[in-house]
Amino acid sequence: MPTLRLALCQVNPSVGDLAGNAELVRSWSRRAADAGAQLVAFPEMVLTGYPVEDLVFRRSFVAASRAALDRLAGDLAADGLGDLPVVVGYLDADGPPQIAADAEPGRGARNAAALLHRGAAVATYFKHHLPNYGVFDEDRYFVPGDELTVVRVGGVDVTLTICEDLWQAGGPFAAARQAGVGLVVNINGSPYELNKDDIRLPLVRRRAVEAGATIAYVNMTGGQDELVFEGDSMIVGADGGLLARAPQFVEHLLVHDLELPGATGDGVGDGEELTDGLRVVRRTVDTLPAAPTGPAATGGTIEPVADEAEVWHALVLGLRDYVNKNRFPSVVLGLSGGIDSAVVAALAVDALGPSRVVGVSLPSQHSSEHSRADAADLATRTGLDYRVEPIQPMVDTFLANMSLSGVAVENLQARVRGVILMALSNQEGHLVLTTGNKSELAVGYSTLYGDSVGGYNPVKDVWKTLIWRLAKWRNVDAVRRGETPPIPENSIGKPPSAELSPGQLDSDTLPDYDVLDPILIGYVDGDLGREGLVASGHDPAVVDKVLRMVDTAEYKRRQAAPGTKISMKAFGRDRRLPVTNRWREDG
Amino acid sequence: MPTLRLALCQVNPSVGDLAGNAELVRSWSRRAADAGAQLVAFPEMVLTGYPVEDLVFRRSFVAASRAALDRLAGDLAADGLGDLPVVVGYLDADGPPQIAADAEPGRGARNAAALLHRGAAVATYFKHHLPNYGVFDEDRYFVPGDELTVVRVGGVDVTLTICEDLWQAGGPFAAARQAGVGLVVNINGSPYELNKDDIRLPLVRRRAVEAGATIAYVNMTGGQDELVFEGDSMIVGADGGLLARAPQFVEHLLVHDLELPGATGDGVGDGEELTDGLRVVRRTVDTLPAAPTGPAATGGTIEPVADEAEVWHALVLGLRDYVNKNRFPSVVLGLSGGIDSAVVAALAVDALGPSRVVGVSLPSQHSSEHSRADAADLATRTGLDYRVEPIQPMVDTFLANMSLSGVAVENLQARVRGVILMALSNQEGHLVLTTGNKSELAVGYSTLYGDSVGGYNPVKDVWKTLIWRLAKWRNVDAVRRGETPPIPENSIGKPPSAELSPGQLDSDTLPDYDVLDPILIGYVDGDLGREGLVASGHDPAVVDKVLRMVDTAEYKRRQAAPGTKISMKAFGRDRRLPVTNRWREDG
């Protein structure tokens, strides 16, 4: 059996940064070559970043992606890496790119992979199964491919597949068995979800057995707006056995020697039609880097980590990349002394270091002594840049000039805090971090344009009970490493309060979080209705109260005002573009 | 040829209000029966409202829609309307509805039409062509139907189709010709876009000729979050001739006598497969209301109106329905004396009457005399509830307690205004209206949580140059009707200014709007790139400046903070629910 040294490059591209992403491919290809690799694979749409959303409809962007691919092929050859086959994801489209003023929008775009060799793309593959659920809208963006691309590399038949091709049955993996390939390369932009890694490995094992081939699964890492990619790249043998697995949430070069079955030559031929209407397209790579000498390369495998560790690392990476890819020098957040802002501050310090994090205590007449002390304690523990900005003078001026009472006065305090944080942002350039957890967002327990202001919310998708678990885990982990636990025990232990009126507690308005969260999880995450929740054992009266709060809080979750659409391209409704986007028409 | 009196009910349902929408069908069916109708059609998903978005995934909602349909059929019969065939749109799903805690999410949901007769649904049809572009995500939500439902009604073969079935070639309209039907009923939830009516009529004509059948096109009217439905229901003969057409933006009963070819009985039979894999399902309605006596009914046609009139009526309806369907008693907005707030105030007064509109002048030290005077003049002209809340005391208190300069001071003023409007909203229950136009949103010329606060923005999708045209049209229309023009000529004529610093003008920062808007329209609406815009004759330096502003303002258009997703159902990213939603699990 031929031996092939494979390198999977688990890298962190940025959406729209074609030049930077190409540079990433060049530098990691060099690292792979230095490690003796004979075949290298990068993630899905690594050249453009993923997901590019409505950039797909811009012909100029499609043309730029194709031009960047051609340039990259040439640059790799110029770098002395021409013989090394490099698989990269990019954006392609049917027909020549159009830049005329009357060009059609980019219908017919393709989520594409290319195998680069000796200065050219010698093989291309277009993603066959397009996901159109959850965060994916690929039926809007792409036309599915109908070819199975088989490239003979060092005597081994290798087929290229992309992400969802793995998750759906049939298609390229079934066709790969028919074509008798030895290796399936599967390139991914597969966003993180808690425990998705526990599903991914069994899935890759099953597909390997179905395809009767080794699977090389490479995923990107890094944050892109609300998505974070975990990596978790891996190699699984044709028998379903795990051969190598990369760690989560970091860039990583996974190099592993594979013994693969040589192509027999009696497989299906070029142009033959296989399952699901896939036609075989055969290509051959004639030259390869010399077989490496010395010890065999093994990528190794990783140990699973606790849920809290996994989520913490996901949140740190998502925050760090949002801040850095959008080129913010620093972040600012309000420190109430409560658990949510304490956890966000600790995440921010882990992501950016204490010198890039400004924490502001914003006490009012309702702020308790322990709140102020806990905020100061957090600042000392983490070393962040700590400020105190009392809000009472501004609150009093509003109250002196308007007739306000009740919830209007409560919200006023939260909004004055929002104005102060945004003023610091304008004055000093910080990104404002929002600290509302998912339970609060679900039931609308927050002030519009008050505690909800900010450019990024690291805990937006974290239920309150998980916030507490994360805080405890982070403190224990600090002790384990001999460091100061960042989060004051007081902030973890005390009953939650918004402190907008005397003696106010969350429990005045909401069920206890250990009652609330399971209902919310069933309703929001599980799409259960009232009857399903009651059947699960929840108190019907509490269920009714909670569901009504969730149903009427949608406007708060939007925050941006909806407005009547009168055109084909209304902002927000029709147009879906990343916030973090390095693409500029003028280069 | 048999004569059939057809009634198209152009009604205004509310998303989630199953009981209210069923009541709407009953009362309009009664009106149709009183007008002698022998066949009645209501819009797409009239029972659930449209679009229901992720409510589709809730089994309890699907079950409620099916139960509401059965109940409606019985109620119509109990109302003495059993013999009248009534076509309604609703939400269905494959298999029995599940309410168990472990139910699968609602995969297999159907965008469905039913023909109700004698207390039961005697025929159903599932939408075949699913739109998945622009505002539509129906590939996420629905499974396409593969049957052509042909119902013999009064000796005429009638087929049921839904919305997109009309917009795509082939499918049910081509199959209708093969099946030799006399009438195609097409029920719609087709959102308004400027000039879409000019495309719709030729399309219906073409499909009528292709099908060789009369087409009865019924569309809903009313506002639903960002969408507004215009009605524009119509009947087109098999020769493509327009027979009747309803007005836009109002509920309307279109009753028209049709002479239709009798079914010959030698057409394709039940179960036969036609084009596009559609299998024929035949049903028969045996009894009909008696043929009406007296003069023939003719629905009449309408005259086209100016673009400005069409947009104005769309914006008024969208705003009115957002306010009323969400049960807000009133609205509040800031009146700067400028054109945007003047147009929004005039829209609000047209939508809700002057007693439900609060206009607040929020002068600062930079507000000019003419600004204050123009705001007061607008209030006098429209009769709205006028207030003055000077912002300087609050601004001064912030400035005394913080060290702010430059843009931080400019934004502070806008944010103090936002706090005041939100405080009035909390204190008095008004919905805050936002007044930023589409040009501003595109280039980010606004203050986050300042002038951008609010629950609804009627002019969110209106370019600045169209704002001026609307203002002029509305004033001229007032004169034509012998009324006071609502918008001060000063507000229309003066150069736009944010008045956040001394002598500030929009033109200090932005190109003139008659230069800016065509570039924005090309880039945003047309997906043109830099080269396409330059090829259209725009100054390259201006294009570069404008495109960079648009590309870096996406975070402002979002307003709500993105946050790292760690679950299958992150708010905002995965979960798409209407704000205006009357559905409550507890009824």
Side-chain angles (χ1 to χ4, degrees):
Chain A
M1 302 227 285
T3 299
L4 209 57
R5 180 164 292 182
L6 175 69
L8 302 183
C9 297
Q10 178 172 302
V11 295
N12 183 348
S14 294
V15 161
D17 188 7
L18 297 167
N21 296 337
E23 201 47 53
L24 199 64
V25 173
R26 286 173 75 178
S27 63
W28 283 72
S29 295
R30 161 57 59 200
R31 288 183 54 186
D34 290 348
Q38 297 170 288
L39 173 62
V40 185
F42 286 86
E44 180 177 14
M45 293 187 76
V46 67
L47 252 191
T48 55
Y50 182 87
V52 296
E53 304 191 80
D54 281 11
L55 289 175
V56 161
F57 297 132
R58 210 156 315 143
R59 282 283 172 186
S60 54
F61 187 69
V62 176
S65 169
R66 296 171 60 159
L69 183 80
D70 292 342
R71 197 176 316 118
L72 174 61
D75 286 345
L76 286 169
D79 290 345
L81 303 173
D83 280 346
L84 181 63
V86 176
V87 177
V88 294
Y90 71 107
L91 172 65
D92 206 335
D94 293 332
Q98 302 176 330
I99 51 166
D102 58 351
E104 282 287 296
R107 310 291 170 186
R110 305 285 198 164
N111 184 330
L115 189 144
L116 307 181
H117 191 250
R118 298 203 141 195
V122 297
T124 58
Y125 168 75
F126 298 147
K127 191 173 184 176
H128 179 69
H129 286 311
L130 300 175
N132 201 63
Y133 53 82
V135 301
F136 303 109
D137 289 301
E138 295 204 357
D139 282 345
R140 288 175 77 95
Y141 295 129
F142 300 115
V143 177
D146 56 3
E147 294 179 344
L148 185 81
T149 303
V150 180
V151 190
R152 191 153 301 171
V153 178
V156 178
D157 277 351
V158 178
T159 190
L160 308 181
T161 64
I162 304 178
C163 202
E164 187 75 4
D165 290 331
L166 177 85
W167 290 82
Q168 295 187 30
F173 281 81
R177 169 177 285 276
Q178 294 175 301
V181 308
L183 175 67
V184 181
V185 174
N186 182 245
I187 67 174
N188 289 266
S190 177
Y192 171 72
E193 282 159 15
L194 180 57
N195 299 329
K196 194 175 184 180
D197 55 335
D198 301 338
I199 302 167
R200 184 182 286 121
L201 175 58
L203 179 72
V204 177
R205 288 185 195 274
R206 191 162 75 243
R207 292 284 182 257
V209 173
E210 283 173 16
T214 298
I215 296 183
Y217 174 101
V218 58
N219 191 17
M220 60 180 58
T221 186
Q224 171 61 40
D225 286 10
E226 303 211 312
L227 303 183
V228 61
F229 298 92
E230 68 187 300
D232 195 28
S233 303
M234 65 179 79
I235 303 170
V236 168
D239 61 353
L242 179 64
L243 301 176
R245 191 173 195 181
Q248 291 170 291
F249 306 114
V250 289
E251 292 193 302
H252 189 80
L253 182 70
L254 192 72
V255 181
H256 196 85
D257 286 343
L258 289 172
E259 299 228 341
L260 295 166
T264 57
D266 56 2
V268 293
D270 199 67
E272 271 191 62
E273 190 168 314
L274 305 176
T275 185
D276 216 5
L278 289 162
R279 277 179 301 104
V280 172
V281 174
R282 289 195 172 272
R283 295 285 183 273
T284 301
V285 167
D286 288 322
T287 56
L288 277 193
T293 54
T298 173
T301 57
I302 47 132
E303 292 303 310
V305 298
D307 284 357
E308 291 84 356
E310 187 180 293
V311 170
W312 189 272
H313 292 134
L315 299 180
V316 166
L317 178 58
L319 174 58
R320 179 190 298 135
D321 275 6
Y322 194 83
V323 171
N324 288 341
K325 290 183 178 180
N326 285 303
R327 300 196 170 101
F328 283 98
S330 48
V331 297
V332 64
L333 76 160
L335 298 180
S336 69
I339 184 68
D340 296 337
S341 59
V343 164
V344 172
L347 286 166
V349 169
D350 282 0
L352 306 167
S355 64
R356 295 177 68 190
V357 181
V358 179
V360 189
S361 169
L362 298 152
S364 77
Q365 62 184 19
H366 303 305
S367 298
S368 58
E369 262 318 306
H370 67 74
S371 291
R372 301 173 199 225
D374 294 343
D377 185 17
L378 172 84
T380 308
R381 289 167 173 274
T382 56
L384 54 73
D385 178 355
Y386 184 60
R387 322 259 183 100
V388 181
E389 295 277 0
I391 66 168
Q392 208 58 45
M394 292 73 130
V395 171
D396 288 342
T397 311
F398 278 100
L399 294 177
N401 285 274
M402 302 182 74
S403 294
L404 302 179
S405 59
V407 85
V409 178
E410 294 187 25
N411 285 339
L412 173 64
Q413 299 164 70
R415 292 196 181 109
V416 166
R417 291 188 173 114
V419 173
I420 292 173
L421 292 174
M422 290 305 298
L424 288 172
S425 167
N426 282 149
Q427 190 67 35
E428 304 178 5
H430 321 295
L431 173 72
V432 177
L433 296 186
T434 316
T435 63
N437 61 70
K438 190 175 187 178
S439 310
E440 260 182 37
L441 276 168
V443 296
Y445 194 70
S446 64
T447 299
L448 256 179
Y449 318 121
D451 50 322
S452 60
V453 305
Y456 202 78
N457 180 353
V459 295
K460 180 179 168 181
D461 199 26
V462 183
W463 299 111
K464 182 79 173 189
T465 45
L466 181 53
I467 294 267
W468 274 305
R469 285 169 52 204
L470 290 177
K472 290 173 189 164
W473 171 85
R474 181 64 183 81
N475 275 3
V476 167
D477 195 59
V479 171
R480 185 181 63 77
R481 289 187 288 163
E483 297 170 1
T484 307
I487 299 164
E489 284 302 319
N490 252 347
S491 298
I492 299 176
K494 67 186 171 188
S497 165
E499 293 197 331
L500 295 174
S501 62
Q504 186 179 42
L505 291 178
D506 289 15
S507 55
D508 302 340
T509 307
L510 304 177
D512 282 346
Y513 286 104
D514 56 357
V515 172
L516 178 64
D517 275 4
I519 296 175
L520 292 175
I521 290 167
Y523 192 52
V524 175
D525 291 352
D527 280 318
L528 288 182
R530 179 184 188 279
E531 292 187 56
L533 290 162
V534 171
S536 309
H538 297 293
D539 179 336
V542 178
V543 167
D544 285 345
K545 176 183 168 172
V546 170
L547 267 45
R548 197 162 280 259
M549 292 179 88
V550 175
D551 288 346
T552 54
E554 187 64 24
Y555 78 99
K556 280 198 181 178
R557 290 187 286 271
R558 302 277 180 108
Q559 199 144 320
T564 307
K565 167 188 156 66
I566 64 166
S567 75
M568 291 277 289
K569 289 277 181 173
F571 284 120
R573 183 83 212 182
D574 302 314
R575 211 165 166 273
R576 304 177 184 180
L577 281 169
V579 175
T580 304
N581 170 19
R582 294 280 182 88
W583 168 245
R584 298 291 176 264
E585 287 282 343
D586 58 346
Chain B
M1 303 228 282
T3 300
L4 210 57
R5 182 165 290 182
L6 176 69
L8 302 183
C9 296
Q10 179 173 302
V11 296
N12 183 349
S14 293
V15 160
D17 187 8
L18 296 166
N21 296 337
E23 202 46 54
L24 198 66
V25 172
R26 286 173 75 179
S27 63
W28 282 72
S29 294
R30 163 54 61 200
R31 287 182 58 185
D34 290 348
Q38 298 169 289
L39 174 62
V40 185
F42 286 86
E44 180 176 14
M45 291 187 77
V46 68
L47 253 190
T48 54
Y50 182 88
V52 296
E53 304 190 78
D54 281 11
L55 290 174
V56 161
F57 296 131
R58 210 156 316 144
R59 283 281 173 187
S60 54
F61 187 70
V62 176
S65 169
R66 296 171 59 157
L69 183 80
D70 293 341
R71 198 176 315 117
L72 174 62
D75 286 344
L76 286 170
D79 290 345
L81 303 173
D83 280 346
L84 181 63
V86 176
V87 177
V88 295
Y90 72 109
L91 172 65
D92 207 334
D94 292 333
Q98 303 176 330
I99 51 169
D102 58 349
E104 282 287 296
R107 310 290 170 187
R110 304 285 198 165
N111 184 329
L115 189 144
L116 306 180
H117 191 249
R118 298 200 141 198
V122 297
T124 58
Y125 168 76
F126 297 148
K127 191 174 185 176
H128 179 69
H129 286 310
L130 300 175
N132 202 63
Y133 53 82
V135 301
F136 304 110
D137 288 301
E138 294 203 359
D139 282 344
R140 288 174 79 94
Y141 295 129
F142 301 115
V143 177
D146 55 5
E147 293 178 345
L148 185 80
T149 304
V150 180
V151 190
R152 191 154 299 172
V153 178
V156 177
D157 277 353
V158 178
T159 192
L160 307 180
T161 64
I162 303 178
C163 202
E164 187 76 4
D165 290 333
L166 176 85
W167 290 83
Q168 294 188 31
F173 280 81
R177 169 177 284 277
Q178 294 175 302
V181 308
L183 175 67
V184 181
V185 174
N186 182 248
I187 69 175
N188 289 265
S190 177
Y192 172 71
E193 282 159 16
L194 179 57
N195 300 327
K196 195 175 184 180
D197 56 333
D198 303 337
I199 301 167
R200 184 183 286 120
L201 176 57
L203 179 72
V204 178
R205 290 184 194 274
R206 191 164 76 243
R207 291 284 181 255
V209 172
E210 284 172 17
T214 298
I215 296 183
Y217 174 102
V218 58
N219 190 16
M220 60 179 58
T221 186
Q224 170 62 40
D225 287 9
E226 303 211 313
L227 303 183
V228 60
F229 298 92
E230 66 185 302
D232 197 27
S233 301
M234 66 179 80
I235 303 171
V236 167
D239 61 353
L242 178 65
L243 300 175
R245 190 174 194 179
Q248 291 169 291
F249 306 114
V250 290
E251 292 194 302
H252 189 81
L253 183 70
L254 191 74
V255 181
H256 195 87
D257 286 344
L258 289 173
E259 300 228 340
L260 295 166
T264 57
D266 55 2
V268 292
D270 198 68
E272 273 189 61
E273 190 168 313
L274 305 176
T275 185
D276 216 6
L278 289 161
R279 276 178 303 103
V280 173
V281 174
R282 288 194 171 271
R283 294 287 182 272
T284 301
V285 166
D286 289 323
T287 57
L288 275 193
T293 54
T298 172
T301 57
I302 47 129
E303 293 301 310
V305 298
D307 283 357
E308 291 84 357
E310 187 180 292
V311 170
W312 190 272
H313 292 132
L315 299 180
V316 166
L317 178 58
L319 173 59
R320 180 190 296 135
D321 276 6
Y322 194 85
V323 172
N324 289 340
K325 290 182 179 179
N326 285 304
R327 299 196 172 101
F328 283 98
S330 48
V331 296
V332 65
L333 76 159
L335 299 179
S336 69
I339 185 68
D340 295 338
S341 60
V343 164
V344 172
L347 286 165
V349 169
D350 282 0
L352 306 168
S355 65
R356 296 177 68 192
V357 181
V358 179
V360 189
S361 170
L362 298 151
S364 77
Q365 63 185 18
H366 302 306
S367 299
S368 58
E369 262 318 306
H370 66 76
S371 291
R372 302 170 197 227
D374 294 342
D377 185 18
L378 172 83
T380 308
R381 289 167 174 273
T382 56
L384 54 72
D385 179 354
Y386 183 62
R387 322 256 183 102
V388 180
E389 296 277 0
I391 66 168
Q392 208 58 46
M394 292 72 130
V395 171
D396 287 343
T397 311
F398 278 99
L399 294 177
N401 285 276
M402 302 183 73
S403 294
L404 302 179
S405 59
V407 85
V409 177
E410 293 187 26
N411 285 339
L412 173 64
Q413 299 164 68
R415 292 195 182 109
V416 166
R417 292 189 172 113
V419 172
I420 292 173
L421 292 174
M422 291 305 297
L424 288 171
S425 168
N426 282 150
Q427 190 67 35
E428 304 177 6
H430 321 294
L431 173 72
V432 177
L433 297 185
T434 317
T435 63
N437 61 70
K438 189 174 187 177
S439 310
E440 259 181 39
L441 276 168
V443 295
Y445 194 69
S446 65
T447 299
L448 255 178
Y449 319 121
D451 49 323
S452 60
V453 305
Y456 202 78
N457 179 354
V459 295
K460 181 179 166 179
D461 199 26
V462 183
W463 299 112
K464 182 79 172 191
T465 46
L466 180 54
I467 294 268
W468 274 305
R469 284 169 52 203
L470 291 177
K472 290 173 189 165
W473 171 85
R474 180 64 184 80
N475 275 3
V476 167
D477 194 59
V479 171
R480 186 181 63 77
R481 291 187 287 165
E483 296 170 2
T484 307
I487 299 163
E489 285 301 319
N490 252 347
S491 297
I492 300 176
K494 68 186 173 189
S497 165
E499 293 196 332
L500 295 174
S501 62
Q504 186 178 45
L505 291 178
D506 289 15
S507 54
D508 301 341
T509 307
L510 305 176
D512 282 346
Y513 286 104
D514 56 357
V515 173
L516 177 64
D517 276 4
I519 295 174
L520 292 175
I521 289 168
Y523 192 53
V524 175
D525 291 352
D527 280 316
L528 288 181
R530 178 184 189 277
E531 292 187 56
L533 289 162
V534 171
S536 309
H538 297 294
D539 179 337
V542 178
V543 167
D544 285 345
K545 175 181 169 173
V546 170
L547 267 46
R548 197 163 280 257
M549 292 179 89
V550 175
D551 288 346
T552 54
E554 187 64 24
Y555 78 100
K556 280 199 180 178
R557 290 188 287 270
R558 302 276 180 107
Q559 198 144 322
T564 306
K565 166 188 159 68
I566 64 165
S567 75
M568 289 279 287
K569 291 276 182 175
F571 284 120
R573 182 83 213 183
D574 301 316
R575 212 166 164 271
R576 303 176 185 184
L577 282 168
V579 174
T580 304
N581 170 20
R582 293 279 183 87
W583 169 247
R584 298 290 175 264
E585 287 281 343
D586 58 347

